[in-house]
Amino acid sequence: MQEKIVQLAQELIRRPSISPNDEGCQTLIAERLEKLGFEIEWLPFNETLNLWAKHGAGEPVVAFAGHTDVVPVGDEHQWNYPPFSAEIVGDMLYGRGAADMKGSLAAMIVAAEEYVKANPHHAGTIALLITSDEEAVAKDGTVRVVETLMERGEKITYCMVGEPSSSQILGDVVKNGRRGSITANLYIQGIQGHVAYPHLADNPIHKALPFLQELSSYQWDNGSAFFPPTSLQIANIHAGTGSNNVIPGELYVQFNLRYCTEVTDEVIKQKVVEMLEKHGLKHRIEWNLSGKPFLTKLGKLVNAVVDSIKEITGITPKLETGGGTSDGRFIALMGAEVVEFGPLNATIHKVNEGVSIEDLGKCGQIYHQMLVNLLDN
Ligand SMILES: [Zn+2]
């Protein structure tokens, strides 16, 4: 299995599919799956290519989700090997996307192929949801496919997202949820004027200080068994004309919250507006919700994945919800149980991104064993 995975991973890495370009990765995958009797459906939206492939019928629907797009390479001269050459050195396969996530994508595909070959009449449905728009704006990828499937009443029961979740050693971390992320662009209004005539002006910086103090120190919640407490960070702040004798007319503050399931975006918005009103601040605020939090509780999928990892690696994984957002947030909206598991994330988005070949082989075995655990009894 390892050899097949590495070969496919190399073929994928050699296609320079910088987000949202797919560069033929999905055609390559579709051709392989079609040969095994998978039903192939293309769901393109604007520049983004999406693939929805299914084998079998009925429930449970076990889906593998992944992306073919990669982040830009950065300074190419800093790479030890050309980023799209898929060089193997010792146990390591190097290249942009090796760890995030063409390696695990290849492992998921080969695992599904092997399972279907051995069990052509398996229970339920095995599906693959593959997008080329995860790393950039993520507007025309998984989110649109999920909308389409929901409109049709199609279901996903269990979903494995192949994001690189492992931290120190393969199998040490499985993500069974993610925090939500919401950003506010806040404009606090004052009255511009001469610093020598403050009574004729209204300084928005001075007015905002007590509010910002309260905003940045407010305790939103205490987290939960799976989530750290919600955290608010001010990311950008700006006011002033650059001149030392002008009181500015407006203060701009941008802040982001990574929030857990103990609060909702509605509660957050309400509380911020309450604080603004309490401090008597004239303002305008724009919110941008990039993902609601989700949590997959202990259940059939988590057990199937944890057992598979234990069996293949001997390690008992920790369940975590940290890190940025992923496409799991969209699939969870379908009511699916969603977990993320994949190789080590130490080099993702960096120069000299790489993945252990042995780990890729084990990833494939784990994904395969997960199918056995979910579909064989
Ligand atoms: Zn990724």
Side-chain angles (χ1 to χ4, degrees):
M1 187 185 277
Q2 181 175 306
E3 211 168 295
K4 283 186 192 167
I5 294 170
V6 172
Q7 233 172 42
L8 177 56
Q10 281 184 303
E11 284 183 66
L12 293 171
I13 292 167
R14 288 184 183 134
R15 289 168 165 76
S17 53
I18 292 167
S19 198
N21 296 315
D22 172 69
E23 296 291 333
C25 290
Q26 290 181 31
T27 314
L28 175 78
I29 293 165
E31 279 167 6
R32 290 177 68 124
L33 295 173
E34 208 162 17
K35 275 186 209 146
L36 288 165
F38 275 78
E39 191 187 305
I40 303 295
E41 187 179 357
W42 296 102
L43 293 166
F45 294 101
N46 296 318
E47 255 102 89
T48 300
L49 198 59
N50 301 295
L51 175 65
W52 174 239
K54 285 189 298 186
H55 189 278
E59 294 179 35
V61 180
V62 184
F64 289 105
H67 60 89
T68 53
D69 58 321
V70 297
V71 296
V73 299
D75 180 5
E76 208 165 328
H77 301 292
Q78 284 190 45
W79 286 73
N80 293 335
Y81 315 99
F84 299 112
S85 66
E87 204 83 33
I88 293 174
V89 182
D91 174 53
M92 293 296 289
L93 167 62
Y94 290 102
R96 175 56 83 225
D100 185 10
M101 57 174 282
K102 288 175 168 175
S104 39
L105 189 57
M108 293 193 293
I109 290 158
V110 172
E113 285 174 349
E114 301 288 297
Y115 185 83
V116 164
K117 265 188 233 167
N119 308 277
H121 305 292
H122 59 81
T125 306
I126 297 174
L128 287 105
L129 195 176
I130 298 167
T131 182
S132 66
D133 178 30
E134 197 273 346
E135 297 288 9
V137 283
K139 288 257 186 291
D140 292 318
T142 305
V143 64
R144 300 289 298 272
V145 176
V146 163
E147 279 169 16
T148 308
L149 297 179
M150 283 170 81
E151 274 164 25
R152 288 185 200 160
E154 277 201 60
K155 265 193 175 173
I156 293 179
T157 320
Y158 308 113
C159 183
M160 164 59 80
V161 184
E163 290 290 346
S165 63
S166 300
S167 158
Q168 307 290 327
I169 179 168
L170 183 79
D172 59 356
V173 175
V174 167
K175 298 218 162 135
N176 64 324
R178 291 271 188 161
R179 289 182 293 182
S181 173
I182 187 166
T183 298
N185 291 299
L186 171 64
Y187 303 83
I188 293 170
Q189 272 104 41
I191 298 170
Q192 187 174 322
H194 196 300
V195 294
Y197 302 90
H199 56 287
L200 298 177
D202 186 14
N203 192 326
I205 303 178
H206 295 190
K207 284 201 317 189
L209 287 174
F211 160 75
L212 293 174
Q213 174 60 37
E214 185 177 350
L215 181 76
S216 57
S217 58
Y218 185 73
Q219 181 83 27
W220 294 89
D221 52 63
N222 296 311
S224 68
F226 289 109
F227 284 101
T230 295
S231 149
L232 178 146
Q233 294 296 317
I234 295 175
N236 287 287
I237 189 159
H238 179 78
T241 61
S243 165
N244 72 344
N245 63 8
V246 179
I247 292 170
E250 189 174 73
L251 170 73
Y252 166 70
V253 188
Q254 185 186 55
F255 55 91
N256 174 274
L257 289 102
R258 295 300 159 115
Y259 67 103
C260 70
T261 44
E262 300 296 299
V263 281
T264 63
D265 53 300
E266 289 307 321
V267 167
I268 290 168
K269 289 177 192 171
Q270 227 174 46
K271 183 69 202 174
V272 169
V273 169
E274 211 175 277
M275 280 185 211
L276 285 160
E277 280 170 1
K278 180 178 139 192
H279 291 280
L281 296 174
K282 255 180 75 183
H283 69 275
R284 181 163 61 84
I285 191 162
E286 291 155 6
W287 293 97
N288 182 9
L289 175 66
S290 39
K292 289 177 190 273
F294 74 92
L295 179 69
T296 297
K297 299 213 167 92
L298 300 181
K300 197 156 178 191
L301 179 61
V302 170
N303 289 339
V305 173
V306 168
D307 289 349
S308 308
I309 292 171
K310 270 196 226 168
E311 188 173 326
I312 307 297
T313 67
I315 289 169
T316 304
K318 268 198 297 185
L319 297 173
E320 284 185 6
T321 57
T325 56
S326 82
D327 276 357
R329 66 193 142 143
F330 303 126
I331 300 161
L333 294 175
M334 298 178 76
E337 293 183 22
V338 180
V339 299
E340 299 176 23
F341 170 72
L344 266 66
N345 53 30
T347 62
I348 60 171
H349 296 206
K350 295 185 178 177
V351 297
N352 298 318
E353 178 177 348
V355 69
S356 150
I357 286 172
E358 196 191 328
D359 284 358
L360 283 189
K362 284 185 184 163
C363 275
Q365 289 178 307
I366 289 165
Y367 296 139
H368 185 271
Q369 188 59 41
M370 178 195 88
L371 288 175
V372 171
N373 292 351
L374 288 172
L375 296 177
D376 275 15
N377 36 53

